[in-house]
Amino acid sequence: MANGNPATANDFFGHPRGLSTLFFTELWERFSYYGMRALLVLFMTAEALGNNPGMGLSVGEATAIYGIYTFFVYVLSLPGGWVADNIWGQKKAVFVGGCIIAAGHFSMAVPTTTFFFIGLALIVIGTGLLKPNVSSMVGDIYPEGGARRDAGFSIFYMGINLGAILGPLLCGLLGEGYNWHWGFSLAGFGMVLGLISYKVGDKYLRGAGELDESFSKEEVSKKSKIFYTVSSILIAIVVVFGFLQSSGAIDVALDVLAQNLGIVAVIITLLFFGYIIFFGGHNTEEKKKLGVIFWLFILAALFWSGFEQAGSSLNLFASDLTNRAVGPNSFLGGYGSLLVTFIIALPIGYYVLKAFRRDDLWGMAKLALVVSAVGLIGFFYWVFNQVGSGWIIPASTLQLINPTFIVIFAPIFGFMWTWLAARNANPSIPVKFGLGLFGLAAGFFVLAWGSANASATNLVSPAWLIVTYFLHTAGELCLSPVGLSSMTKLAPKNRVSQMMGIWFVATALGNLMAGLMAGQLENLAPAGLFQMVAIIVGGGGVVALLAAPGVRKLMGDVE
């Protein structure tokens, strides 16, 4: 039963009520991020004329912008975490970040090129503030730690994936089906819902995400001055560069800019690892483990360079070469859609009623559950009606396949690792990274096969994409959660936060490389691109497995 103190009430499926606040905040933030991302490349490459005009950019330009954008989304998580730890606290950083994200989406709703790029910049800044800090607050509401905290994170990550499913679905239907800028607006309204949820549930986060009380006002003031000064200088440089680029005073190709960013990121990472390994004051065992982290960093960057093409090359494949027509269907066109919806509604209604009767479920959570169930049933009815009369599924909505698979298979993979560990057969961390790369490579081989004879007049079945996303999801579940965990296990105690930052840099670098590789579609047939990516990633998987025994020895007692 709930107790009298809202900050300590455990009535969100037996977890602190504050988890529900963070759950819905992150759900709507991911809704806005993935909803907009699903539209981004399609909008930029769409014809500048017509009923739903886009920007008319080439594939190379659009994917370079996509790569640069997603690169900075992850890189700015590093200063975003620093601001929260040293100036604002996580609670304020999350709210300010959410406001900036919403402003960015609404800027993109204005149909001008200038506001489009302003919107992208705002989303990058806002996500850098919100993303790393909302996750750390989940840990704060479980001061006791242990298995209960792990269960809380599992529920929280379910919110992430629900948002990643709903975003492409709803923003894609509205943006691609009617007006791109309406889709961007819906992403903004999603973030606003997250902000409202966050402020309404603020009282349930008492003690979580606050600035360290040991900092004096003078220390905070000094750090604030440094932060605002550096930020102002960087913003001024970006604005001046953007003005000179748009006016033609300087002419730097976007793909060249993206390549240079990648080179700079690699050089900084190499210098950083070289410094901490040779001059960081660590003993031999710690140096070995830092070497392992560097190896995992390389493998992770390679993995994300393929996986993150979901929003670029795979999205374009879905748009241009995939047969997305379903129906018409005479059964669903009549009373059939109502009958099928009713059949689906029965189990949904049963589980909602069962949850509604629980004593450890907060009243607002019950209301959210009922509203979600009604909305889901209504959506199913709408979809069946569309299929009944004949419908072309928007390409962007296919972006929800991967998070749907994650929701389904994450518990299965978790059980599998536990089952193998109980039999002393659990693969080591470097082996799991190799398996992750093999899963990704297999997905690209499948798509290369499927796209071999695809053309504008010979569209292929969506089944090729579904199988590809399944294999990519299997690879992700082998590598991503294992990678996050391995950073905390392998890092020296005084380097844990820095190594988590390095994981974000690997993701950022992978996203940048994904954009550049997808840009090859301008000069290379899809089958050729997908085969090239499969060979590179698969080769990385082979090297990872061959090196695994040696890497395992360097890890020492870390499992």
Side-chain angles (χ1 to χ4, degrees), residues 71-97:
F71 172 82
F72 279 112
V73 160
Y74 286 98
V75 164
L76 263 64
S77 294
L78 302 179
W82 184 90
V83 169
D85 289 341
N86 293 276
I87 301 176
W88 289 351
Q90 285 87 1
K91 186 180 287 187
K92 180 179 178 181
V94 168
F95 182 73
V96 173

Side-chain angles (χ1 to χ4, degrees), residues 435-486:
L435 294 175
L437 289 168
F438 276 133
L440 183 69
F444 275 107
F445 272 124
V446 166
L447 204 57
W449 181 15
S451 60
N453 297 310
S455 67
T457 56
N458 184 35
L459 302 177
V460 299
S461 167
W464 293 102
L465 272 173
I466 293 171
V467 173
T468 295
Y469 279 126
F470 167 73
L471 292 168
H472 285 188
T473 301
E476 180 186 9
L477 291 172
C478 286
L479 184 143
S480 184
V482 175
L484 284 169
S485 176
S486 66

Side-chain angles (χ1 to χ4, degrees), residues 242-307:
F243 174 76
L244 294 174
Q245 176 78 3
S246 62
S247 65
I250 59 174
D251 186 16
V252 180
L254 289 169
D255 58 343
V256 174
L257 177 61
Q259 290 169 9
N260 290 333
L261 279 173
I263 293 170
V264 170
V266 169
I267 291 172
I268 291 174
T269 304
L270 289 172
L271 291 174
F272 173 74
F273 270 107
Y275 173 77
I276 64 171
I277 290 175
F278 296 107
F279 307 105
H282 298 291
N283 60 39
T284 302
E285 287 301 312
E286 289 174 334
K287 288 179 179 179
K288 289 179 180 178
K289 290 175 182 177
L290 286 169
V292 173
I293 289 177
F294 180 59
W295 174 242
L296 297 181
F297 168 88
I298 295 172
L299 297 181
L302 178 61
F303 178 85
W304 297 121
S305 71
F307 184 87

Side-chain angles (χ1 to χ4, degrees), residues 178-513:
Y178 297 93
N179 186 290
W180 298 110
H181 301 285
W182 294 359
F184 296 140
S185 295
L186 183 59
F189 283 117
M191 189 65 252
V192 169
L193 282 175
L195 289 168
I196 292 171
S197 170
Y198 188 67
K199 293 308 288 184
V200 168
D202 180 78
K203 56 183 174 291
Y204 310 125
L205 297 172
R206 195 174 301 163
E210 303 292 350
L211 184 64
D212 190 337
E213 294 180 356
S214 66
F215 292 152
S216 66
K217 289 185 178 179
E218 290 75 18
E219 286 179 300
V220 175
S221 177
K222 182 179 179 180
K223 291 176 180 177
S224 297
K225 288 179 181 177
I226 294 172
F227 167 69
Y228 290 122
T229 300
V230 172
S231 298
S232 299
I233 292 171
L234 291 175
I235 291 172
I237 291 173
V238 171
V239 170
V240 170
F241 177 82
F243 174 76
L244 294 174
Q245 176 78 3
S246 62
S247 65
I250 59 174
D251 186 16
V252 180
L254 289 169
D255 58 343
V256 174
L257 177 61
Q259 290 169 9
N260 290 333
L261 279 173
I263 293 170
V264 170
V266 169
I267 291 172
I268 291 174
T269 304
L270 289 172
L271 291 174
F272 173 74
F273 270 107
Y275 173 77
I276 64 171
I277 290 175
F278 296 107
F279 307 105
H282 298 291
N283 60 39
T284 302
E285 287 301 312
E286 289 174 334
K287 288 179 179 179
K288 289 179 180 178
K289 290 175 182 177
L290 286 169
V292 173
I293 289 177
F294 180 59
W295 174 242
L296 297 181
F297 168 88
I298 295 172
L299 297 181
L302 178 61
F303 178 85
W304 297 121
S305 71
F307 184 87
E308 288 299 337
Q309 290 191 47
S312 51
S313 64
L314 271 66
N315 211 5
L316 291 169
F317 178 82
S319 175
D320 300 336
L321 300 173
T322 302
N323 181 8
R324 294 172 281 110
V326 289
N329 183 284
S330 57
F331 174 72
L332 291 177
Y335 289 105
S337 56
L338 193 60
L339 177 62
V340 175
T341 304
F342 176 74
I343 294 172
I344 292 175
L346 288 176
I348 293 175
Y350 170 76
Y351 284 109
V352 169
L353 182 62
K354 191 174 179 180
F356 204 83
R357 290 174 173 171
R358 291 179 60 154
D359 292 331
D360 62 345
L361 190 58
W362 175 38
M364 283 295 291
K366 292 180 180 181
L367 177 62
L369 201 60
V370 171
V371 171
S372 299
V374 171
L376 183 63
I377 293 168
F379 177 75
F380 275 127
Y381 179 68
W382 179 83
V383 168
F384 293 139
N385 264 315
Q386 293 291 110
V387 174
S389 58
W391 186 36
I392 297 178
I393 302 172
S396 50
T397 62
L398 297 180
Q399 294 286 295
L400 61 83
I401 298 172
N402 169 246
T404 302
F405 278 144
I406 290 176
V407 170
I408 295 169
F409 290 103
I412 298 173
F413 270 74
F415 171 78
M416 181 177 69
W417 300 139
T418 305
W419 185 83
L420 289 171
R423 289 156 179 78
N424 294 319
N426 190 26
S428 66
I429 291 171
V431 169
K432 287 178 180 176
F433 268 62
L435 294 175
L437 289 168
F438 276 133
L440 183 69
F444 275 107
F445 272 124
V446 166
L447 204 57
W449 181 15
S451 60
N453 297 310
S455 67
T457 56
N458 184 35
L459 302 177
V460 299
S461 167
W464 293 102
L465 272 173
I466 293 171
V467 173
T468 295
Y469 279 126
F470 167 73
L471 292 168
H472 285 188
T473 301
E476 180 186 9
L477 291 172
C478 286
L479 184 143
S480 184
V482 175
L484 284 169
S485 176
S486 66
M487 295 298 111
T488 60
K489 292 177 181 178
L490 292 165
K493 288 185 179 179
N494 63 337
R495 301 281 186 186
V496 174
S497 296
Q498 293 176 43
M499 293 305 105
M500 289 303 294
I502 283 295
W503 182 258
F504 279 119
V505 173
T507 309
L509 192 58
N511 273 271
L512 187 65
M513 292 164 60

